[in-house]
């Protein structure tokens, strides 16, 4: 018999947990409940755990030993992801949801995904745009026409996250550690920001042998990356400003169709994307609807556990392979310009 | 003053017939004030006061040095774009980069869009560093600078009901200017919005097509002794030198 209400344990207790996952789990409270919050900052773990009505701890082993944790959610800094996924798999938990990216190096990701696959434990990567119901439906419609994308554009031009976090919840902010300046800014930007839409881009193009042909960095945080795969050109641009406006867009063009997707910013729970599809004879708009990509990714995970279906990790690795490849190539191109 | 212009292009004639106080469409046997050039540069009829170059194809190298030559080029003469000149210049001053996206119906029309982009930017700031960064059968990415700011231009080939459109976003940390231009034949208003920390200002909607606005400017130039600039030819040369007219 399937367990009706699944226990969720969080590795990490920062803004992603507080502003994204706790409100989402609250919406799915008949199927999910938070049972454990772990963070190296014990005071933060305690505060978030108390708020969620869950146990708290400072070490991942405590969380993995907790029998009330069915699903482990990895929300730590990306460099820890792969090892923590592997630990959750080794602890024989029922499922793992790992925030994107799954890893910062491909071999780490292969190790984690292979372990999950061999153990038969579902592993889902929290790339919410890939689960957004309106975006997925619009892309599926687009793909059903057999169209080939000539150009794809991803634009993420928005304020820093802190504003959205504060709108989403009353955030408990830990004392900030001074993080060292990155010596690979555009690689980090791909892994942290551009990564959101790459699963969707990969869905509409084969993305075989992606070749970065131009990369530019804009201070204080911004990138423009042009890459080519097959006969498709992909342009990705991102920029953080300090203004009251948000543009998170994905556009796909073929000979006889256009698809425009607009997403709400991260952290807020403002529903799904909005889509506008054009052909030679119609314009069709859809969304936004109530469920966003966060809710959809959790529903996806619950469905996998309910159905006890086969576990596949090839999509996860394909997505990450593209992310790492683009991140490395873009950084190399930027470095070659500086040199 | 009513200017005579020949009946050589159905779409053009339709627009001209809606401007009875400014233009009169005349037959082959009557003299014309405004001549008309075909898209490939062929002079269909000469004119004594000016020339209208319909849908100019910059790849043909048929752009003439004529007085009062008006380029009926896509959305280029959209009145909202011209009206946003001051906002545009201000935004460019503090910008980190500029995004320009154009859509054309056929691959062969990409050069038209690239030249139109260069003209529009050139009217605000000096253009330089023009180069093609990616070229595929159905898309082009070009990079240039305007007043020293990096401009990233994408041109996609897509034939849909939306027509040949363009959008422009001047991105800075303190302000963003966004311009959305409809197909040049459409009188749907362009959208022009400037966002600063204080909020967003939206320019008034102007229900005048780019083509209609161009004819008005040509009339003013031809009757008031003015001269339309040759910015289109200069831009075509820049884009051609960068390999963008191929």
């Amino acid at each position: 018999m399937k367990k009706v209400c699944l226990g969720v344990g969080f590795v990490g207790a920062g803004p992603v947990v507080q502003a994204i996952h706790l409100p989402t789990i609250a919406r799915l409270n008949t199927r999910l409940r938070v049972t454990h919050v772990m963070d190296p900052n014990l005071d933060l773990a305690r505060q978030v755990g108390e708020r969620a009505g869950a146990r708290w701890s400072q070490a991942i082993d405590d969380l993995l030993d907790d029998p009330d944790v069915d699903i482990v959610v990895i929300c730590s800094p990306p460099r820890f992801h792969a090892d923590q996924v592997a630990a959750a798999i080794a602890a024989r938990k029922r499922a793992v949801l790992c925030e994107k990216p799954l890893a910062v190096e491909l071999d780490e990701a292969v190790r984690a995904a292979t372990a999950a696959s061999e153990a038969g434990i579902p592993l889902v990567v929290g790339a919410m745009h890939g689960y957004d119901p309106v975006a997925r439906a619009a892309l599926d419609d687009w793909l059903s026409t057999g169209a080939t994308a000539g150009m794809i554009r991803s634009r993420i031009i928005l304020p820093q996250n802190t504003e959205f976090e504060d709108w989403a919840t009353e955030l408990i902010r830990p004392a900030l550690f001074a993080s060292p300046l990155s010596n690979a800014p555009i690689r980090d930007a791909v892994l942290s920001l551009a990564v959101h839409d790459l699963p969707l881009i990969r869905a509409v193009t084969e993305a075989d042998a992606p070749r970065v042909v131009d990369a530019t960095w804009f201070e204080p945080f911004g990138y423009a990356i042009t890459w080519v795969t097959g006969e498709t050109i992909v342009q990705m641009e991102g920029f953080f400003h300090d203004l009251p406006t948000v543009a998170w867009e994905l556009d796909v063009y073929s000979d006889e169709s256009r698809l425009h997707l607009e997403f709400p910013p991260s952290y807020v729970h403002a529903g799904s994307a909005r889509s506008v599809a054009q052909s030679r004879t119609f314009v069709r708009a859809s969304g936004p609807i109530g469920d966003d990509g966060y809710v959809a990714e959790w529903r996806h995970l619950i469905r996998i556990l309910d159905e006890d279906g086969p576990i596949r990790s090839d999509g996860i690795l394909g997505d990450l392979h593209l992310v790492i490849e683009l991140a490395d190539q873009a950084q190399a191109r930027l470095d070659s310009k500086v040199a | 003053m009513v200017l005579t212009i020949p009946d050589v292009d159905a779409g053009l004639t339709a627009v001209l017939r809606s401007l009875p106080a400014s233009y009169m469409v005349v037959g082959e046997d009557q003299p014309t004030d405004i001549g008309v050039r075909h898209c490939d540069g062929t002079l269909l009829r000469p004119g004594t006061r000016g020339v209208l170059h319909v849908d100019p194809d910059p790849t043909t190298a048929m752009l003439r040095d004529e007085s009062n030559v008006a380029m009926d080029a896509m959305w280029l003469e959209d009145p909202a774009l011209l009206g946003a000149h001051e906002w545009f210049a201000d935004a460019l001053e503090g910008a980190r980069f500029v995004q320009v996206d154009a859509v054309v119906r056929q691959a062969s029309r990409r050069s038209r869009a690239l030249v139109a982009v260069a003209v529009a930017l050139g009217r605000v700031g000096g253009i330089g560093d023009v180069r093609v960064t990616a070229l595929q059968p159905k898309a082009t990415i070009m990079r240039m600078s305007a007043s020293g700011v990096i401009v990233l231009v994408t041109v996609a080939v897509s034939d849909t009901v939306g027509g040949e459109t363009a959008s422009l976003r001047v991105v800075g940390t303190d302000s963003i200017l966004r311009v959305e231009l409809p197909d040049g034949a459409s009188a749907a208003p362009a959208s022009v919005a400037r966002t600063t920390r204080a909020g967003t200002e939206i320019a008034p909607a102007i229900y005048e097509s780019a083509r209609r606005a161009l004819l008005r400017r040509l009339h003013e130039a031809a009757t008031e002794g003015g001269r339309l600039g040759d910015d289109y030819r200069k831009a075509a040369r820049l884009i051609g030198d960068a390999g963008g007219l191929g």
Side-chain angles (χ1 to χ4, degrees):
Chain A
M1 183 177 160
K2 303 295 174 198
K3 193 169 176 182
V4 173
C5 200
L6 298 156
V8 177
F10 286 105
V11 177
V16 169
V17 171
Q18 295 177 51
I20 292 175
H21 290 295
L22 293 186
T24 304
I25 287 172
R27 291 181 63 179
L28 299 170
N29 63 78
T30 58
R31 299 304 317 274
L32 301 169
R33 70 186 174 97
V34 182
T35 51
H36 200 124
V37 176
M38 169 264 152
D39 196 280
N41 179 337
L42 185 61
D43 191 46
L44 179 64
R46 178 186 60 76
Q47 290 184 68
V48 175
E50 282 180 345
R51 178 188 285 183
R55 282 186 283 281
W56 64 87
S57 65
Q58 195 172 21
I60 189 170
D61 288 346
D62 292 339
L63 181 142
L64 296 177
D65 287 341
D66 187 338
D68 289 333
V69 172
D70 298 300
I71 302 170
V72 178
V73 187
I74 311 291
C75 298
S76 54
R79 65 183 184 279
F80 301 122
H81 285 183
D83 284 346
Q84 290 170 340
V85 168
I89 301 292
R92 305 294 305 171
K93 291 298 178 185
R94 290 195 62 194
V96 181
L97 171 61
C98 181
E99 272 302 324
K100 67 199 151 318
L102 175 58
V104 293
E105 301 294 344
L106 192 59
D107 57 344
E108 295 174 355
V110 171
R111 206 169 58 240
T114 304
S117 188
E118 287 176 357
I121 294 174
L123 169 61
V124 168
V125 175
M128 76 285 198
H129 287 180
Y131 292 97
D132 185 289
V134 167
R136 288 297 335 183
L139 278 179
D140 288 347
D141 276 355
W142 196 86
L143 288 167
S144 71
T145 66
T148 303
M151 175 176 286
I152 301 172
R153 270 198 319 262
S154 162
R155 294 271 167 73
I156 310 171
I157 313 286
L158 71 180
Q160 298 273 5
N161 284 336
T162 47
E163 189 155 27
F164 304 123
E165 293 162 3
D166 288 338
W167 281 339
T169 187
E170 292 169 22
L171 206 68
I172 303 162
R173 291 187 191 281
L176 288 176
F177 295 104
S179 54
L181 287 175
S182 171
N183 59 4
I186 209 163
R187 185 180 198 276
D188 291 349
V190 172
L191 290 168
S192 62
L193 190 59
V195 65
H196 285 84
D197 292 336
L198 284 170
L200 298 175
I201 292 173
R202 202 169 81 85
V204 289
T205 166
E206 293 295 312
D208 283 339
R211 186 166 50 87
V212 172
V213 296
D214 198 24
T216 306
W217 179 253
F218 302 105
E219 295 293 347
F221 181 100
Y223 61 85
I225 300 168
T226 307
W227 54 283
V228 176
T229 176
E231 293 194 344
T232 307
I233 298 178
V234 184
Q235 178 77 1
M236 305 193 304
E237 290 157 19
F239 189 73
F240 282 157
H241 53 65
D242 193 16
L243 298 165
T245 182
V246 170
W248 195 318
E249 305 162 345
L250 184 68
D251 289 277
V252 184
Y253 297 87
S254 78
D255 269 354
E256 297 180 9
S257 62
R258 302 182 198 177
L259 176 61
H260 175 74
L261 298 174
E262 284 179 18
F263 296 94
S266 298
Y267 295 94
V268 300
H269 298 266
S272 73
R274 188 176 79 91
S275 73
V276 181
Q278 274 186 37
S279 75
R280 280 185 167 171
T281 54
F282 67 76
V283 177
R284 184 186 298 137
S286 180
I289 63 171
D291 273 8
D292 56 23
Y294 301 128
V295 171
E297 77 190 19
W298 274 105
R299 287 196 200 283
H300 171 72
L301 184 53
I302 292 168
R303 196 161 46 246
I304 290 175
L305 291 173
D306 282 349
E307 293 171 359
D308 228 358
I311 311 301
R312 296 172 62 103
S313 59
D314 47 345
I316 290 175
L317 286 179
D319 286 346
L320 191 75
H321 190 274
L322 178 63
V323 172
I324 301 274
E325 186 70 29
L326 291 174
D328 287 344
Q329 285 192 36
Q331 189 61 49
R333 186 154 285 269
L334 190 67
D335 291 344
S336 71
K337 279 185 183 177
V338 175
Chain B
M1 179 182 178
V2 179
L3 299 175
T4 55
I5 189 166
D7 181 7
V8 291
D9 179 286
L12 177 62
T13 296
V15 175
L16 289 166
R17 288 201 193 287
S18 69
L19 304 170
S22 301
Y23 293 94
M24 182 167 64
V25 179
V26 296
E28 279 182 21
D29 54 339
Q30 290 175 271
T32 53
D33 296 316
I34 302 297
V36 174
R37 279 195 188 278
H38 190 252
C39 61
D40 68 2
T42 309
L43 186 63
L44 298 175
R45 288 283 294 279
T48 55
R49 287 172 176 268
V51 175
L52 183 66
H53 196 154
V54 179
D55 192 22
D57 180 354
T59 62
T60 60
M62 294 290 281
L63 304 170
R64 306 290 180 179
D65 182 13
E66 293 164 308
S67 63
N68 290 337
V69 57
M71 298 295 186
D72 181 14
M74 307 175 105
W75 36 261
L76 180 60
E77 304 299 332
D78 190 287
L81 182 62
L82 298 175
H85 186 277
E86 207 170 297
W87 281 11
F88 197 166
D90 285 351
L92 205 53
E93 212 163 278
R96 295 300 161 88
F97 64 105
V98 180
Q99 304 167 329
V100 187
D101 306 317
V103 182
V104 294
R105 286 194 190 89
Q106 296 150 10
S108 61
R109 297 180 62 77
R110 283 179 287 183
S111 56
R112 286 169 163 86
L114 288 169
V115 172
V117 168
V119 176
L121 293 167
R123 287 173 181 171
V124 184
I127 301 290
D129 310 321
V130 185
R131 67 183 168 90
V132 175
T133 51
L135 178 64
Q136 293 285 25
K138 299 298 166 64
T140 303
I141 309 270
M142 181 169 262
R143 191 183 167 117
M144 58 182 81
S145 66
S147 296
V149 178
I150 291 174
V151 181
L152 304 159
V153 185
T154 74
V155 184
V157 179
S158 188
D159 187 2
T160 70
V161 286
E164 296 191 316
T165 58
S167 69
L168 179 152
R169 192 188 268 130
V170 185
V171 181
T173 52
D174 299 329
S175 82
I176 290 179
L177 175 69
R178 182 81 198 261
V179 180
E180 304 260 11
L181 298 162
D183 191 286
S186 169
S191 155
V192 182
R194 173 170 68 172
T195 300
T196 63
R197 287 192 176 93
T200 298
E201 291 176 90
I202 297 172
I206 304 173
Y207 288 83
E208 182 184 42
S209 70
R211 172 175 270 188
R212 163 81 172 82
L214 176 71
L215 290 167
R216 193 161 42 77
R217 289 182 62 215
L218 176 60
H219 188 275
E220 284 166 12
T223 56
E224 294 169 16
R227 180 180 162 85
L228 295 175
D230 62 350
D231 50 2
Y232 194 92
R233 286 194 318 125
K234 285 180 183 169
R237 200 159 46 240
L238 265 177
I239 300 300
D241 289 347
L245 296 185

